[in-house]
Amino acid sequence: MKTLHTVIKRIVPILALLALASLLVGVPDSSMAQSAKSYFIVGHSDFHALIKNKKKRKYRSNWQKVEKNFSRCYKADPNGSYAPKALYYMGRVHEELGGQSGLKSDFRRAADYFGRVVSRFPRHGWADDCLYHRADIYARRLKETSAARKDLARIIVDYPRSDMHSKAKAYLKKLGKYNQSIAEAQGKSAPSKAAAAKPKSTPKKAAVQKAPARPRDPSGIAHLDTVRYKSSDEYTRVVLELDGRVKYRYQVLDPNPAVNRPHRLYIDLQGSRLGHDVTAATTVSDGILRSIRTGQYNKDTTRVVLDFLSMQEYKVFPLDNPYRIVIDVYSPDGSTPVATAAPAKSSGKKTTANSKYRPPSGSKSQAGDLLEQLGLTVRTIMIDPGHGGKDPGAVSNGLREKDVNLRFAKILGDMLQEKGFNIHFTRTNDTFIRLEQRTAMANVKKADLFLSIHCNANRSRKVNGLETYSLNLAKSKDAVRIAARENAVDPRSISDLQFILTDLMVNSKIKESRDLASDVQSSTLSRVRRRWQLKSKGTREAPFYVLMGAKMPSVLVELGYLTNKTEAKRLKSKEYLEYLARGVVDGVMAYKGKIERYAMN
């Protein structure tokens, strides 16, 4: 009869591979978590089996096999519930490996993994265990007593109710300089685990949740954890995600055929080190992005090198929570201008769906061909149902924003398809998608318009109404508040973002987006007011992450306030959502008509 361990080893990897396969083609957040869970179960079983096997645990290759499952677990869902556990066990693997090899490099790698749990997940139940393990490594294995004292003191100060508190206290007394270490730790104390465990009194989720500042590694070094990209034949977005803020510099090198160098952009991340899970080199087989290479330029600088087949324009900017650096590279075809009411401007926009617009005079086919060639029409629309997956958005009166957004987006998509538009969605199910990925999806699909759908919330239950936003500097406190909530950042960070946005707005569709917002707002109000009273909150401008970098006119529509009982009740109704959707369609048609009339004249 087969043992339970054998069954787990044979069955769970198959389930994990199936889950990972579905992940590659785009699946809900739950599948990502299931894939991570499957890898963790295998890794956990193998780890404890290897600990007990005196013969097998002597060989490095066996420990590396165990680590691989934890690494896959972390990559499958790097922000999920199993991510900190996977990092912890990767640290344990190298701690045990160091015990067998006696190599300092193994112990340092173990300390690094433990530090990443504390840095990325300071409120997790295992954060204090990681600090204790790292302190023990510093004290016994690396003979770095000062670093060990810091970690132990941090447990005592920051985690007073943890199971490691008494152990840390005894260990620190053994190492000496107890009072001095405690005093130093109290000078930069983080919220305790017990305090973090208390339930937050935000049942309505109307207030902005402040993003906690994640503690950095004691060395002050950040880690490059993830490199993501989306690419097409005219556009590429690369995102570098780190576990802390860093200073960075970048440079573009012109192609040099003599040394076989293509268009190249490299970026140096100062005060950072390469994460163990980042691939050193990636060859990209689609779009203008040719390859991505990462490496440790020197002990405190990570370098990322991007090679492109062509490049005409680029932008580099940071985003917070988590900290990431976004690199946008554009290489328009040159033969076809972008869709705009301004004089022709090159972008190679390609369209596919048939429009029902009828030109006022001249040959219909010739006029249609001309509009399509010039890009002065709207054929492809990307609809973005805000939030999703682990991010519910606003929650109040029995509604979750992510659900209302998705339901409305599908109604809107069907109506726009009936009008002849080619429709794409950033998500069609309950999936978590990062904000910067949504605009990238629109750019890659060469959408002519980007419509981001949201619901609002406010501390006051009386606040209600419809409002439509476009990208620009925030000009009111309300605009700052809403941008902060949708960006999931502290309102105080919006001032930094506005400075960044000043540079990003060059060549953006600011005026076109403002015109689209005006048409959507007025048309939706007109349609809905046939049946219901609806307050207009107007058209506004604010620095939304989800709109940054869009190469087409883009707006964010706030359908109503979930915190207002009357509007929440309406937003539950399919009939009300249909009226809202018809209004948005009317606005899109009005905007489309304007730019086509402009082009024909």
Side-chain angles (χ1 to χ4, degrees):
M1 186 174 178
K2 295 179 180 178
T3 64
L4 177 62
H5 174 65
T6 304
V7 172
I8 290 174
K9 285 197 68 175
R10 292 189 177 183
I11 295 177
V12 177
I14 297 172
L15 295 174
L17 289 173
L18 290 173
L20 184 61
S22 61
L23 181 67
L24 295 175
V25 296
V27 294
D29 218 42
S30 59
S31 294
M32 295 169 62
Q34 186 60 42
S35 176
K37 180 180 179 180
S38 300
Y39 283 128
F40 183 82
I41 289 173
V42 176
H44 186 270
S45 175
D46 287 351
F47 176 86
H48 289 285
L50 191 55
I51 285 281
K52 296 174 184 177
N53 193 316
K54 293 182 180 179
K55 188 175 181 179
K56 288 186 176 181
R57 70 188 186 193
K58 294 179 181 179
Y59 298 98
R60 178 175 292 272
S61 59
N62 291 329
W63 289 106
Q64 289 173 334
K65 288 176 184 177
V66 172
E67 182 188 17
K68 188 174 291 185
N69 277 307
F70 291 123
S71 178
R72 287 172 175 170
C73 168
Y74 180 75
K75 288 179 180 178
D77 193 8
N79 294 305
S81 60
Y82 283 91
K85 297 178 181 180
L87 288 173
Y88 168 82
Y89 269 103
M90 283 192 271
R92 289 286 291 114
V93 164
H94 285 278
E95 188 176 17
E96 293 293 334
L97 192 53
Q100 297 294 328
S101 68
L103 296 175
K104 285 189 175 183
S105 58
D106 287 325
F107 288 118
R108 289 203 180 278
R109 192 161 184 181
D112 178 67
Y113 277 123
F114 291 136
R116 290 170 68 185
V117 176
V118 177
S119 178
R120 288 183 60 83
F121 307 98
R123 290 168 172 77
H124 191 267
W126 293 9
D128 57 324
D129 297 80
C130 289
L131 282 169
Y132 191 87
H133 275 278
R134 187 170 68 174
D136 187 53
I137 289 172
Y138 282 146
R140 290 197 306 118
R141 303 295 190 173
L142 300 177
K143 308 303 180 186
E144 296 175 7
T145 312
S146 177
R149 289 194 192 102
K150 287 182 181 179
D151 281 350
L152 294 169
R154 185 168 169 189
I155 295 172
I156 296 166
V157 173
D158 293 352
Y159 304 92
R161 299 185 185 179
S162 75
D163 57 348
M164 287 292 163
H165 185 267
S166 59
K167 290 183 178 181
K169 208 168 182 178
Y171 205 154
L172 183 55
K173 287 179 178 179
K174 181 181 176 182
L175 294 179
K177 298 185 179 180
Y178 181 91
N179 292 334
Q180 179 184 336
S181 300
I182 295 297
E184 290 175 355
Q186 287 174 335
K188 48 184 178 181
S189 173
S192 72
K193 185 189 296 183
K198 293 180 181 178
K200 298 180 177 67
S201 56
T202 54
K204 298 184 181 67
K205 188 129 188 242
V208 176
Q209 302 256 337
K210 294 183 179 181
R214 284 187 297 193
R216 290 285 294 275
D217 185 285
S219 65
I221 296 295
H223 297 88
L224 175 61
D225 286 333
T226 308
V227 179
R228 298 187 298 270
Y229 71 89
K230 281 193 175 293
S231 188
S232 71
D233 57 355
E234 295 180 0
Y235 165 82
T236 288
R237 170 166 283 183
V238 178
V239 180
L240 313 178
E241 185 174 318
L242 299 99
D243 62 5
R245 289 190 175 195
V246 297
K247 291 182 179 180
Y248 62 90
R249 60 179 293 275
Y250 57 88
Q251 185 172 347
V252 173
L253 302 176
D254 291 331
N256 186 346
V259 294
N260 196 30
R261 185 180 72 208
H263 293 268
R264 177 169 295 169
L265 184 154
Y266 71 83
I267 181 166
D268 287 341
L269 311 175
Q270 299 168 7
S272 74
R273 289 185 186 144
L274 195 63
H276 297 304
D277 301 316
V278 176
T279 305
T282 303
T283 301
V284 183
S285 58
D286 63 331
I288 59 173
L289 180 62
R290 195 160 112 178
S291 67
I292 303 171
R293 285 175 288 133
T294 59
Q296 200 65 46
Y297 183 65
N298 58 43
K299 68 175 184 177
D300 292 334
T301 302
T302 303
R303 173 167 287 185
V304 180
V305 180
L306 309 175
D307 285 345
F308 298 90
L309 295 175
S310 61
M311 175 192 295
Q312 289 188 18
E313 181 186 349
Y314 65 91
K315 296 182 187 296
V316 181
F317 56 95
L319 299 176
D320 277 316
N321 194 28
Y323 185 78
R324 54 227 193 261
I325 298 168
V326 180
I327 303 106
D328 279 348
V329 173
Y330 311 93
S331 182
D333 176 83
S335 61
T336 51
V338 298
T340 172
K345 194 176 179 183
S346 176
S347 92
K349 191 71 63 179
K350 297 179 182 177
T351 53
T352 54
N354 294 320
S355 169
K356 292 185 179 180
Y357 171 76
R358 298 291 184 267
S361 61
S363 167
K364 294 180 181 179
S365 61
Q366 289 179 349
D369 289 345
L370 177 61
L371 288 173
E372 186 169 353
Q373 289 169 14
L374 292 175
L376 297 174
T377 188
V378 178
R379 296 188 183 278
T380 302
I381 300 175
M382 177 66 79
I383 301 176
D384 171 44
H387 306 280
K390 66 182 180 183
D391 175 16
V395 179
S396 189
N397 288 311
L399 289 175
R400 297 184 301 181
E401 182 185 353
K402 66 176 183 177
D403 300 329
V404 179
N405 296 343
L406 182 58
R407 187 182 182 198
F408 176 83
K410 290 180 177 179
I411 293 172
L412 177 62
D414 289 342
M415 290 182 179
L416 287 170
Q417 280 185 324
E418 289 175 1
K419 293 289 185 181
F421 294 102
N422 181 27
I423 302 300
H424 296 284
F425 297 89
T426 56
R427 67 181 181 97
T428 56
N429 50 34
D430 191 18
T431 306
F432 174 74
I433 302 173
R434 293 199 177 279
L435 294 174
E436 72 275 5
Q437 287 181 272
R438 297 170 186 254
T439 318
M441 292 165 75
N443 287 341
V444 166
K445 291 293 185 182
K446 303 178 185 176
D448 300 307
L449 297 180
F450 180 75
L451 308 176
S452 190
I453 308 302
H454 290 260
C455 296
N456 221 326
N458 196 288
R459 288 187 177 91
S460 171
R461 297 183 180 186
K462 295 180 180 180
V463 177
N464 64 92
L466 175 81
E467 53 200 314
T468 308
Y469 283 84
S470 58
L471 182 69
N472 208 330
L473 304 180
K475 298 175 182 177
S476 70
K477 288 184 178 179
D478 275 349
V480 169
R481 176 185 63 80
I482 293 170
R485 188 177 71 81
E486 299 295 358
N487 293 345
V489 297
D490 191 303
R492 290 171 294 185
S493 68
I494 295 297
S495 58
D496 296 332
L497 188 60
Q498 303 228 92
F499 178 77
I500 297 166
L501 189 61
T502 304
D503 178 57
L504 292 180
M505 287 191 306
V506 179
N507 297 326
S508 294
K509 300 292 177 292
I510 299 297
K511 182 185 182 303
E512 293 88 338
S513 296
R514 190 183 300 131
D515 292 343
L516 175 60
S518 178
D519 287 334
V520 167
Q521 178 76 7
S522 60
S523 296
T524 305
L525 286 169
S526 178
R527 173 71 69 165
V528 174
R529 283 172 175 172
R530 296 178 188 180
R531 283 284 310 273
W532 293 274
Q533 287 186 344
L534 180 59
K535 182 178 180 180
S536 175
K537 301 282 286 182
T539 56
R540 304 186 184 189
E541 296 172 315
F544 290 101
Y545 282 180
V546 75
L547 302 181
M548 294 176 72
K551 295 300 289 180
M552 71 292 299
S554 308
V555 297
L556 186 148
V557 183
E558 296 278 6
L559 300 174
Y561 283 75
L562 297 186
T563 43
N564 180 276
K565 284 187 177 181
T566 301
E567 283 197 333
K569 185 177 180 180
R570 289 177 185 173
L571 291 167
K572 289 180 183 178
S573 161
K574 183 180 179 182
E575 183 182 13
Y576 186 73
L577 293 180
E578 287 176 343
Y579 264 80
L580 283 171
R582 292 193 188 282
V584 174
V585 172
D586 292 342
V588 169
M589 295 302 293
Y591 176 81
K592 178 177 182 290
K594 283 180 183 177
I595 64 171
E596 289 181 347
R597 283 193 297 275
Y598 180 93
M600 295 305 296
N601 291 332

